[in-house]
Amino acid sequence: MRRARRRRSGLPVLISSLAVAAGCAAPTTAPPPVVAAMSSTPAPSPAHLAAQPVAGPAGGEVRLSGEGYPAHGRVVFTFHGRRVGDTTADAAGRFAGVPVRVPDSFADSAPGTQFTIGATSGPLSAEAPFVITR
């Protein structure tokens, strides 16, 4: 006794052919993975700060100038994180020749030690290097 052969339906082939024609079929190659680039570096601030002189003794005077701050904004100055003064920026967001003192507490620092002078107004800040001398 011979078994009757089952006829295979052409339905799967027909469905996949229709899917390809309609543009619904899965692509034959995988698309490249999307990689999100994240940076832990903050966006650069438009603010700038300059110190004159760039080196001097503890207790000495430094004149600070800057730009890129909010118009009429209060700008706070720090020396190695310690507040040393403040000023108000002009209508263009600038200030010039503002005197601040290097704290006497840095007198024990070795000559040539570099510190940071900062100027901050709200979210905007800038830094300038300062080297202690004898």
Side-chain angles (χ1 to χ4, degrees):
M1 181 170 194
R2 230 166 51 135
R3 284 190 173 189
R5 285 181 97 195
R6 281 180 59 164
R7 186 169 177 220
R8 295 179 80 194
S9 168
L11 192 56
V13 172
L14 178 61
I15 291 173
S16 65
S17 296
L18 288 174
V20 169
C24 299
T28 56
T29 59
V34 176
V35 178
M38 293 185 64
S39 173
S40 61
T41 306
S45 173
H48 297 282
L49 177 67
Q52 187 59 30
V54 296
E61 186 178 89
V62 181
R63 294 199 172 266
L64 303 176
S65 299
E67 62 182 37
Y69 292 91
H72 306 292
R74 182 169 171 240
V75 182
V76 175
F77 303 120
T78 57
F79 187 90
H80 197 63
R82 179 177 295 171
R83 187 176 170 169
V84 292
D86 61 73
T87 193
T88 301
D90 65 14
R94 293 183 224 152
F95 56 89
V98 179
V100 298
R101 289 230 171 260
V102 176
D104 289 324
S105 59
F106 291 92
D108 293 336
S109 300
T113 303
Q114 181 172 312
F115 292 96
T116 301
I117 298 174
T120 304
S121 182
L124 299 177
S125 66
E127 296 180 337
F130 186 84
V131 177
I132 293 288
T133 62
R134 290 271 176 222

PDB file of all heavy atoms in Angstrom, residues 2 6 19-20 32 37 48 55 57 90 121 127 134:
ATOM      1  N   ARG A   2       0.525   2.038  -0.895  1.00  0.00           N
ATOM      2  CA  ARG A   2       1.262   3.260  -1.056  1.00  0.00           C
ATOM      3  C   ARG A   2       0.549   4.392  -0.348  1.00  0.00           C
ATOM      4  O   ARG A   2      -0.656   4.492  -0.382  1.00  0.00           O
ATOM      5  CB  ARG A   2       1.357   3.586  -2.544  1.00  0.00           C
ATOM      6  CG  ARG A   2       2.744   3.864  -2.913  1.00  0.00           C
ATOM      7  CD  ARG A   2       2.992   3.866  -4.378  1.00  0.00           C
ATOM      8  NE  ARG A   2       2.133   4.667  -5.220  1.00  0.00           N
ATOM      9  CZ  ARG A   2       2.574   5.433  -6.183  1.00  0.00           C
ATOM     10  NH1 ARG A   2       3.829   5.487  -6.442  1.00  0.00           N
ATOM     11  NH2 ARG A   2       1.762   6.094  -6.914  1.00  0.00           N
ATOM     12  N   ARG A   6       1.259  14.052   0.322  1.00  0.00           N
ATOM     13  CA  ARG A   6       0.597  15.301   0.675  1.00  0.00           C
ATOM     14  C   ARG A   6       1.169  16.408  -0.172  1.00  0.00           C
ATOM     15  O   ARG A   6       2.370  16.527  -0.335  1.00  0.00           O
ATOM     16  CB  ARG A   6       0.843  15.632   2.146  1.00  0.00           C
ATOM     17  CG  ARG A   6      -0.031  14.837   3.039  1.00  0.00           C
ATOM     18  CD  ARG A   6       0.215  15.163   4.467  1.00  0.00           C
ATOM     19  NE  ARG A   6      -0.003  16.567   4.773  1.00  0.00           N
ATOM     20  CZ  ARG A   6      -0.145  17.072   5.979  1.00  0.00           C
ATOM     21  NH1 ARG A   6      -0.074  16.297   7.018  1.00  0.00           N
ATOM     22  NH2 ARG A   6      -0.336  18.338   6.181  1.00  0.00           N
ATOM     23  N   ALA A  19       5.516  39.905   0.729  1.00  0.00           N
ATOM     24  CA  ALA A  19       6.159  40.772   1.708  1.00  0.00           C
ATOM     25  C   ALA A  19       7.365  41.467   1.103  1.00  0.00           C
ATOM     26  O   ALA A  19       7.596  42.660   1.327  1.00  0.00           O
ATOM     27  CB  ALA A  19       6.570  39.976   2.942  1.00  0.00           C
ATOM     28  N   VAL A  20       8.144  40.752   0.326  1.00  0.00           N
ATOM     29  CA  VAL A  20       9.310  41.343  -0.331  1.00  0.00           C
ATOM     30  C   VAL A  20       8.856  42.404  -1.315  1.00  0.00           C
ATOM     31  O   VAL A  20       9.393  43.510  -1.375  1.00  0.00           O
ATOM     32  CB  VAL A  20      10.166  40.261  -1.017  1.00  0.00           C
ATOM     33  CG1 VAL A  20      11.208  40.890  -1.924  1.00  0.00           C
ATOM     34  CG2 VAL A  20      10.818  39.375   0.012  1.00  0.00           C
ATOM     35  N   PRO A  32      23.670  48.957  10.443  1.00  0.00           N
ATOM     36  CA  PRO A  32      24.745  49.171  11.421  1.00  0.00           C
ATOM     37  C   PRO A  32      24.155  49.639  12.754  1.00  0.00           C
ATOM     38  O   PRO A  32      23.133  50.327  12.776  1.00  0.00           O
ATOM     39  CB  PRO A  32      25.606  50.268  10.792  1.00  0.00           C
ATOM     40  CG  PRO A  32      24.721  50.936   9.803  1.00  0.00           C
ATOM     41  CD  PRO A  32      23.723  49.897   9.349  1.00  0.00           C
ATOM     42  N   ALA A  37      26.889  58.888  21.191  1.00  0.00           N
ATOM     43  CA  ALA A  37      28.126  59.438  21.741  1.00  0.00           C
ATOM     44  C   ALA A  37      27.782  60.363  22.899  1.00  0.00           C
ATOM     45  O   ALA A  37      27.075  61.336  22.731  1.00  0.00           O
ATOM     46  CB  ALA A  37      28.892  60.193  20.668  1.00  0.00           C
ATOM     47  N   HIS A  48      35.563  84.177  29.375  1.00  0.00           N
ATOM     48  CA  HIS A  48      37.028  84.147  29.355  1.00  0.00           C
ATOM     49  C   HIS A  48      37.549  85.003  30.499  1.00  0.00           C
ATOM     50  O   HIS A  48      36.938  86.002  30.863  1.00  0.00           O
ATOM     51  CB  HIS A  48      37.563  84.684  28.027  1.00  0.00           C
ATOM     52  CG  HIS A  48      37.145  83.861  26.854  1.00  0.00           C
ATOM     53  ND1 HIS A  48      37.743  82.674  26.523  1.00  0.00           N
ATOM     54  CD2 HIS A  48      36.159  84.048  25.948  1.00  0.00           C
ATOM     55  CE1 HIS A  48      37.145  82.166  25.456  1.00  0.00           C
ATOM     56  NE2 HIS A  48      36.179  82.978  25.091  1.00  0.00           N
ATOM     57  N   ALA A  55      51.977  85.697  37.630  1.00  0.00           N
ATOM     58  CA  ALA A  55      52.777  85.117  38.711  1.00  0.00           C
ATOM     59  C   ALA A  55      53.065  86.199  39.735  1.00  0.00           C
ATOM     60  O   ALA A  55      53.159  87.383  39.397  1.00  0.00           O
ATOM     61  CB  ALA A  55      54.089  84.542  38.174  1.00  0.00           C
ATOM     62  N   PRO A  57      53.780  86.839  44.449  1.00  0.00           N
ATOM     63  CA  PRO A  57      53.822  86.285  45.803  1.00  0.00           C
ATOM     64  C   PRO A  57      52.430  86.231  46.445  1.00  0.00           C
ATOM     65  O   PRO A  57      51.516  86.949  46.036  1.00  0.00           O
ATOM     66  CB  PRO A  57      54.712  87.274  46.549  1.00  0.00           C
ATOM     67  CG  PRO A  57      54.430  88.581  45.865  1.00  0.00           C
ATOM     68  CD  PRO A  57      54.245  88.236  44.406  1.00  0.00           C
ATOM     69  N   ASP A  90      29.737  94.665  32.877  1.00  0.00           N
ATOM     70  CA  ASP A  90      29.060  95.795  32.239  1.00  0.00           C
ATOM     71  C   ASP A  90      27.942  95.295  31.318  1.00  0.00           C
ATOM     72  O   ASP A  90      27.638  94.099  31.284  1.00  0.00           O
ATOM     73  CB  ASP A  90      30.068  96.685  31.496  1.00  0.00           C
ATOM     74  CG  ASP A  90      30.754  95.994  30.317  1.00  0.00           C
ATOM     75  OD1 ASP A  90      30.299  94.918  29.869  1.00  0.00           O
ATOM     76  OD2 ASP A  90      31.766  96.547  29.834  1.00  0.00           O
ATOM     77  N   SER A 121      29.796  83.457  37.146  1.00  0.00           N
ATOM     78  CA  SER A 121      28.543  84.204  37.189  1.00  0.00           C
ATOM     79  C   SER A 121      27.452  83.247  36.741  1.00  0.00           C
ATOM     80  O   SER A 121      27.357  82.922  35.549  1.00  0.00           O
ATOM     81  CB  SER A 121      28.590  85.428  36.286  1.00  0.00           C
ATOM     82  OG  SER A 121      27.381  86.155  36.380  1.00  0.00           O
ATOM     83  N   GLU A 127      38.608  80.191  33.991  1.00  0.00           N
ATOM     84  CA  GLU A 127      39.756  80.084  34.885  1.00  0.00           C
ATOM     85  C   GLU A 127      40.999  80.642  34.212  1.00  0.00           C
ATOM     86  O   GLU A 127      41.100  80.648  32.985  1.00  0.00           O
ATOM     87  CB  GLU A 127      40.002  78.619  35.265  1.00  0.00           C
ATOM     88  CG  GLU A 127      38.880  78.007  36.054  1.00  0.00           C
ATOM     89  CD  GLU A 127      39.144  76.557  36.406  1.00  0.00           C
ATOM     90  OE1 GLU A 127      39.954  75.889  35.720  1.00  0.00           O
ATOM     91  OE2 GLU A 127      38.544  76.082  37.377  1.00  0.00           O
ATOM     92  N   ARG A 134      58.299  83.902  45.205  1.00  0.00           N
ATOM     93  CA  ARG A 134      58.737  84.427  46.519  1.00  0.00           C
ATOM     94  C   ARG A 134      58.898  85.911  46.434  1.00  0.00           C
ATOM     95  O   ARG A 134      59.127  86.554  45.528  1.00  0.00           O
ATOM     96  CB  ARG A 134      60.059  83.798  46.965  1.00  0.00           C
ATOM     97  CG  ARG A 134      59.904  82.368  47.324  1.00  0.00           C
ATOM     98  CD  ARG A 134      59.541  82.232  48.801  1.00  0.00           C
ATOM     99  NE  ARG A 134      59.308  80.814  49.045  1.00  0.00           N
ATOM    100  CZ  ARG A 134      58.329  80.364  49.784  1.00  0.00           C
ATOM    101  NH1 ARG A 134      57.490  81.159  50.352  1.00  0.00           N
ATOM    102  NH2 ARG A 134      58.179  79.100  49.974  1.00  0.00           N
TER     103      ARG A 134
END
